């Protein structure tokens, strides 16, 4: 949504982030091969699939793995780690192959959005491991991580070398990290609260930007597009949490809208509004 923004990144920043990842997780991974379901065109994929394994000397399987049978063939040859995302982990299929491969996985990584506890549990049931979730942004790189072994493990643990604080007035998370170009405090767009023990909880975004299937969706933009229609007097858009996140829109029809609703019925009325949104909103963000 909105105009694309360029984010300058120096090679030195990327190098420092790779060093942080290896310090944080290298001992766990050992010499495991790297398999992935995410593209290297995403900065998360670039770091985890290309730069980090190159520096650490781990073998890279260049092809993305979309099916369990493909991953099984790789794991049959030795230990591996899986770099994945919420969109893929939410859709892990039931398959007997998992029982034969899970003992070869050293770790499963996920980034691009938080996993619900239910999805984390299902991933453990199928893959044998609770995913390591990485929280961060394109600007800051990785900030923190977590593994949701229980419902009490919702808090994020900062990576080594990361300092954080919470703005006392607005409750916004601010970080100081070697992955940034200087040592200044960086203000994120996430609200947070301390969970004790140098951990924090994320409490939603300041700018009403949400991630649905790793796509950045502006709830404000959807509301603006809806209220621009002559059929809508007012609208409110929210995210419904569940096994899969969904966007829901609550509409107050205008006089014209009420007439159209009475004429065509709710199903067609909804379709008209969705068609209007499809011109400017990513398909995963259509309510």
């Amino acid at each position: 949504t909105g105009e694309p923004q360029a984010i300058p990144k120096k090679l030195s920043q990327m190098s420092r982030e790779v060093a942080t990842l290896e310090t944080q997780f290298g001992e766990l991974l050992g010499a495991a091969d790297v398999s992935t379901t995410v593209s290297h065109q995403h900065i998360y994929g670039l770091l985890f699939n290309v730069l980090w394994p190159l520096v650490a000397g781990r073998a890279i399987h260049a092809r993305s793995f979309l099916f369990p049978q493909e991953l099984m063939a790789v794991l049959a040859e030795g230990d591996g780690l899986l770099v994945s995302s919420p969109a893929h982990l939410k859709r892990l299929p039931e398959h007997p192959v998992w029982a034969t491969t899970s003992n070869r996985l050293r770790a499963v990584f996920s980034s691009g959005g938080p996993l619900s506890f239910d999805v984390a549990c299902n991933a453990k049931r199928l893959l044998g491991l609770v995913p390591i979730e990485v929280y961060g942004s394109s600007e800051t790189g990785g900030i923190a991580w977590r593994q949701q072994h229980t419902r009490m493990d919702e808090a994020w643990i900062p990576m080594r070398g990361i300092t954080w604080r919470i703005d006392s007035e607005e409750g916004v998370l601010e970080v100081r990290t070697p992955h940034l170009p200087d040592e200044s405090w960086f203000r994120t767009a996430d609200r947070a609260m301390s969970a004790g023990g140098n951990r924090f909880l994320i409490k939603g975004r300041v700018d009403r930007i949400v991630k649905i299937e790793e796509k950045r969706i502006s709830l404000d933009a959807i509301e603006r597009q809806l209220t621009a229609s002559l059929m809508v007097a007012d609208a409110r858009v929210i995210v419904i949490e569940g096994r899969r996140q969904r966007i829901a829109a609550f509409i107050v029809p205008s006089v014209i809208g009420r007439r159209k609703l009475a004429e065509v019925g709710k199903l067609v009325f909804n379709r008209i509004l969705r068609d209007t949104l499809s011109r400017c909103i990513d398909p995963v963000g259509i309510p």
Side-chain angles (χ1 to χ4, degrees):
T1 57
E3 290 296 320
Q5 292 182 334
I7 301 172
K9 298 283 278 192
K10 295 181 179 179
L11 187 58
S12 58
Q13 292 174 250
M14 310 286 275
S15 178
R16 289 194 293 269
E17 182 163 8
V18 165
T20 297
L21 292 171
E22 182 63 18
T23 301
Q24 189 77 55
F25 304 113
E27 186 175 348
L28 170 66
L29 303 182
D33 290 3
V34 180
S35 301
T36 184
T37 67
V38 300
S39 171
H40 62 277
Q41 293 171 308
H42 189 291
I43 194 167
Y44 162 53
L46 176 63
L47 283 163
F48 278 69
N49 300 342
V50 182
L51 300 183
W52 182 14
L54 280 176
V55 170
R58 297 188 180 93
I60 304 166
H61 292 272
R63 185 167 55 89
S64 294
F65 295 92
L66 302 179
F67 303 102
Q69 299 93 325
E70 297 174 327
L71 186 59
M72 178 189 68
V74 172
L75 292 177
E77 301 175 2
D79 289 350
L81 66 99
L82 177 62
V83 179
S84 195
S85 67
H88 287 93
L89 294 176
K90 290 174 185 176
R91 294 172 173 81
L92 284 176
E94 298 284 346
H95 199 289
V97 71
W98 297 128
T100 64
T101 59
S102 60
N103 64 331
R104 304 303 296 267
L105 274 174
R106 300 293 295 268
V108 178
F109 288 96
S110 177
S111 190
L115 292 176
S116 70
F117 176 69
D118 290 341
V119 171
C121 286
N122 190 57
K124 182 180 187 303
R125 180 177 65 84
L126 294 175
L127 302 177
L129 294 170
V130 178
I132 299 172
E133 299 174 65
V134 177
Y135 162 72
S137 68
S138 298
E139 295 90 345
T140 63
I143 294 173
W145 65 280
R146 71 179 182 182
Q147 276 184 293
Q148 296 187 82
H149 294 281
T150 72
R151 291 189 182 275
M152 303 299 292
D153 298 325
E154 185 184 5
W156 296 91
I157 305 165
M159 292 187 181
R160 296 175 188 179
I162 307 296
T163 307
W164 62 277
R165 68 186 184 188
I166 298 174
D167 179 278
S168 58
E169 293 184 4
E170 298 184 42
V172 176
L173 179 68
E174 298 178 338
V175 297
R176 193 158 56 190
T177 162
H179 312 153
L180 287 167
D182 55 50
E183 296 185 356
S184 301
W185 286 96
F186 180 88
R187 186 180 179 86
T188 71
D190 294 312
R191 290 191 173 91
M193 64 178 291
S194 174
N198 195 32
R199 300 175 305 151
F200 58 85
L201 297 168
I202 297 297
K203 292 297 183 180
R205 290 183 63 91
V206 178
D207 53 10
R208 298 192 75 213
I209 297 289
V210 298
K211 279 193 174 180
I212 306 292
E213 309 293 357
E214 288 76 69
K215 300 286 187 180
R216 289 167 60 87
I217 303 295
S218 169
L219 302 185
D220 287 339
I222 298 175
E223 290 175 358
R224 285 195 300 270
Q225 292 297 324
L226 286 170
T227 53
S229 168
L230 295 177
M231 294 189 296
V232 177
D234 200 3
R236 181 67 173 174
V237 177
I238 65 169
V239 176
I240 299 177
E241 300 288 347
R243 182 170 178 79
R244 296 180 186 176
Q245 285 182 314
R246 294 179 298 151
I247 290 180
F250 295 85
I251 302 298
V252 179
S254 64
V255 173
I256 296 174
R258 288 199 297 271
R259 289 173 184 165
K260 191 67 174 179
L261 179 60
E263 175 189 341
V264 301
K266 187 173 186 299
L267 182 63
V268 175
F269 185 77
N270 286 351
R271 189 178 302 143
I272 293 171
L273 293 178
R274 289 194 185 100
D275 288 344
T276 300
L277 292 173
S278 66
R279 301 168 195 160
C280 52
I281 304 295
D282 192 281
V284 300
I286 304 296

